[in-house]
Amino acid sequence: MARAVLFRGAGQPLEIVEAPTPTPAGEEILVRVACCTLCSSDMHTHAGRRESPTPTVLGHEIVGRIEAFGPDAARIDHRGVDLRLGDRVSWSVAASCGRCFYCADGLPQKCVSLHKYGHRRVEMAQPFAGGLADYVLLVSGSAIFRVPDALSDALVASANCATATVAAVLRAAGAIEGRTVLVLGAGILGLTACTMARSAGAAHVLPCDTNSARCGRARAFGATHAVTPDALPDAIADITSGRGADVTLELAGVASTVQAGLERTRIGGTLVLAGTVLPTPSVPLDPEAVVRRMLTIRGVHNYAPRDLATALDFLAGPGQAYPFADLIAHTFRLDEIDSAFACAHREAGQRVAVVP
């Protein structure tokens, strides 16, 4: 028998249930969970700020070891690296068919038959579809990656969402080298964006956050400047001689930062929106201003498998120069799951890890 943490809805107690350890069929692969970190979206769902099918097993930032292969499962990862029993792996937050319109159009995260780990309704007989469990059963279409030995379990787990999402955001932003990059929000995503932008050659990286403590730690993550919103207009004007940011990354997910992004991006600049994954008040948009300022506005939701590859390569390479380990606040056992969520709600801006 194996355990899974069942979430039935906001305000309802989390329940640890047991079910038979699954046997993978067809192309499935059974992974024993080594670590699952609690993402902001898990916290939003747990608090009722975000709707999710229930019952479900939360957790999508996961790393584990291969326990068993289905009879038709590929024995290579997404890059063609051999896979064996016991290998440590992570995988894309969503499995896709590879054949539908969106998969063919380079948007596998919008597949018409998407299977999203930690975000789907589960059956009691087989609840192993999220990271808060002893096992996860990987379905066909999962982009699996064998992970570098040098990276800790907690760091790899958070790469599965946070770092890969930032990789997707920077890919959407275009050229970074020599640019001034404004990062709105200095939580996990924002700090990660600072490191990746600097590593990509950004000349200036300016995170902005209402929390001055977050601004303070941003310099350790590659920021060349860091300000609170009241100081942003003067700071961005001084850095850019009044032009505005070349690239603005909105990662806080609130209407005021979206508005700030529209206002502080220069003529011909690019604004990438990725933080607003909850219902958010509308912001005014002047179409004429967008046209005359020649703005590029992009939205990014989730990421493609190639972004997870970029994330893992970054963490195993340039990312080692930054104190990512400091962003893991605490580690809890699976049977301490209530304490883990309570801690994660208190420690916004850091990750809480859960291990079986």
Side-chain angles (χ1 to χ4, degrees):
M1 301 292 282
R3 301 166 299 164
V5 176
L6 208 61
F7 171 76
R8 295 187 182 276
Q12 299 188 46
L14 296 167
E15 179 185 358
I16 298 180
V17 299
E18 290 190 345
T21 302
T23 299
E27 297 180 352
E28 295 173 340
I29 296 177
L30 183 65
V31 174
R32 180 186 289 272
V33 175
C35 179
C36 176
T37 46
L38 299 180
C39 176
S40 295
S41 62
D42 294 318
M43 309 315 298
H44 292 320
T45 301
H46 183 255
R49 296 186 293 267
R50 171 185 174 130
E51 292 188 6
S52 183
T54 56
T56 190
V57 175
L58 297 173
H60 54 275
E61 293 187 344
I62 319 165
V63 61
R65 293 191 179 274
I66 295 175
E67 186 83 359
F69 291 95
D72 302 318
R75 302 296 182 104
I76 57 172
D77 77 355
H78 193 71
R79 303 200 229 211
V81 176
D82 288 343
L83 291 176
R84 298 179 177 84
L85 293 176
D87 279 349
R88 194 168 61 129
V89 294
S90 191
W91 53 94
S92 180
V93 66
S96 51
C97 73
R99 300 179 299 276
C100 72
F101 173 86
Y102 293 108
C103 286
D105 199 43
L107 294 170
Q109 68 270 46
K110 294 299 175 183
C111 175
V112 298
S113 56
L114 200 69
H115 177 107
K116 198 170 179 183
Y117 295 100
H119 294 279
R120 60 185 297 109
R121 191 177 189 279
V122 299
E123 301 296 332
M124 292 301 298
Q126 207 296 83
F128 303 106
L132 296 179
D134 287 325
Y135 295 94
V136 176
L137 191 63
L138 303 187
V139 301
S140 176
S142 300
I144 304 168
F145 293 85
R146 198 172 78 183
V147 299
D149 292 337
L151 301 179
S152 70
D153 284 344
L155 188 55
V156 171
S158 59
N160 181 293
C161 182
T163 320
T165 297
V166 172
V169 166
L170 290 176
R171 179 164 60 85
I176 295 295
E177 186 173 2
R179 305 284 189 169
T180 294
V181 179
L182 172 60
V183 180
L184 297 170
I188 298 286
L189 288 177
L191 294 178
T192 303
C194 290
T195 66
M196 297 185 82
R198 282 293 281 167
S199 296
H204 305 285
V205 176
L206 172 62
C208 178
D209 198 288
T210 56
N211 187 314
S212 57
R214 292 188 189 182
C215 290
R217 71 181 181 181
R219 291 184 180 274
F221 287 86
T224 56
H225 309 73
V227 296
T228 51
D230 58 320
L232 178 60
D234 289 342
I236 198 69
D238 288 345
I239 294 168
T240 66
S241 300
R243 290 187 303 275
D246 300 306
V247 174
T248 300
L249 312 178
E250 196 292 309
L251 302 174
V254 293
S256 60
T257 53
V258 174
Q259 187 64 47
L262 288 168
E263 294 171 354
R264 303 302 164 196
T265 305
R266 70 164 171 83
I267 292 172
T270 298
L271 168 63
V272 183
L273 306 177
T276 45
V277 293
L278 301 174
T280 304
S282 298
V283 297
L285 178 68
D286 181 349
E288 182 188 14
V290 173
V291 170
R292 290 187 181 279
R293 291 171 59 202
M294 301 178 67
L295 291 180
T296 297
I297 303 173
R298 298 285 305 272
V300 171
H301 185 228
N302 297 328
Y303 59 85
R306 61 174 164 165
D307 300 311
L308 180 53
T310 298
L312 292 170
D313 290 344
F314 171 75
L315 291 173
Q320 294 191 68
Y322 301 99
F324 281 103
D326 294 348
L327 299 181
I328 306 299
H330 298 283
T331 300
F332 294 87
R333 307 292 299 185
L334 193 64
D335 56 10
E336 300 174 311
I337 192 61
D338 290 320
S339 297
F341 270 93
C343 179
H345 283 297
R346 290 194 308 269
E347 301 284 349
Q350 290 187 285
R351 282 292 193 263
V352 166
V354 179
V355 299

